[in-house]
Amino acid sequence: MDIKAERHKLGQIYQRALEIRSAAEKENRDMTPEEEQRFDAAMDEFDSLKDKIESEEKRQKRVKDAEGWANRSQNDPPRNDPNRDGENRDNPRATEEYRASFERFLRGGRDALTGEELRAMQADSAVGGGYLVTPQQFVAELLQDVDNMVVIRQLARGFQLTQAESLGV
């Protein structure tokens, strides 16, 4: 299905329905039974085509998401999954405790954290301004959502950086 062509057709159907209704409004009258019938038929056709387009878009998105996951699982090196048993304690950002603290920070701000949690989550010194570092899983999900939402990222080629400690990601 050519979604672009179908969307164009959808716009034409909508314009046809509006023309039927506006003809009666211009003459400052109600629509005749024939006009109502034509208007309802056009709107039924519009609804049917809209549902068909939405269904096709949803199917295409599911296929694209599945392809992305399949390609990721085949091409990406294994990563530490914080949800997996035996968390990687070498990286504190990959722990459940860190994620829970970060979630409390998002919900309640700095006041929701204890001094120890705040220090553990802070990068740089407090004198230098310091900032909180997000958990790895949060960053990975955020980047995946950006990839899914931004059209140009779906068309672009991505590169994995192996030495990006300064980015914190």
Side-chain angles (χ1 to χ4, degrees):
M1 168 190 275
D2 182 9
I3 292 179
K4 188 174 181 178
E6 294 297 313
R7 284 191 173 277
H8 180 71
K9 184 177 175 182
L10 191 68
Q12 290 174 334
I13 294 168
Y14 181 70
Q15 285 300 321
R16 189 174 66 221
L18 285 180
E19 288 170 4
I20 295 168
R21 190 177 73 187
S22 65
E25 289 175 353
K26 283 181 185 176
E27 296 174 8
N28 205 15
R29 62 174 174 79
D30 291 335
M31 288 192 292
T32 66
E34 178 189 309
E35 289 173 327
E36 284 184 17
Q37 185 179 11
R38 287 183 18 232
F39 177 81
D40 289 340
M43 291 308 293
D44 288 343
E45 184 180 359
F46 177 89
D47 291 338
S48 175
L49 184 57
K50 180 181 72 100
D51 291 343
K52 183 179 171 186
I53 292 171
E54 287 175 344
S55 176
E56 179 64 19
E57 286 175 334
K58 191 180 293 185
R59 187 192 66 75
Q60 287 181 5
K61 182 184 182 316
R62 288 179 68 196
V63 168
K64 188 170 188 162
D65 288 348
E67 287 173 357
W69 279 102
N71 289 338
R72 181 187 314 167
S73 65
Q74 292 173 3
N75 298 332
D76 285 357
R79 298 182 181 158
N80 292 325
D81 184 357
N83 291 325
R84 187 175 58 197
D85 290 332
E87 291 179 335
N88 179 10
R89 295 290 176 171
D90 295 338
N91 185 350
R93 289 179 51 216
T95 63
E96 182 62 38
E97 294 88 6
Y98 195 93
R99 283 194 312 276
S101 297
F102 187 74
E103 184 177 327
R104 275 198 310 284
F105 168 74
L106 289 177
R107 292 176 189 265
R110 295 176 80 101
D111 297 333
L113 299 176
T114 65
E116 184 179 312
E117 288 174 324
L118 191 57
R119 282 189 298 277
M121 295 178 72
Q122 187 172 330
D124 201 11
S125 66
V127 176
Y131 56 92
L132 293 181
V133 181
T134 59
Q136 286 180 333
Q137 182 182 14
F138 177 82
V139 171
E141 289 178 16
L142 179 65
L143 291 176
Q144 183 61 46
D145 287 345
V146 169
D147 284 346
N148 291 341
M149 291 172 41
V150 179
V151 174
I152 193 69
R153 296 218 13 131
Q154 295 169 3
L155 301 173
R157 181 174 170 206
F159 294 94
Q160 281 287 357
L161 300 177
T162 56
Q163 301 293 321
E165 291 84 12
S166 64
L167 295 176
V169 175

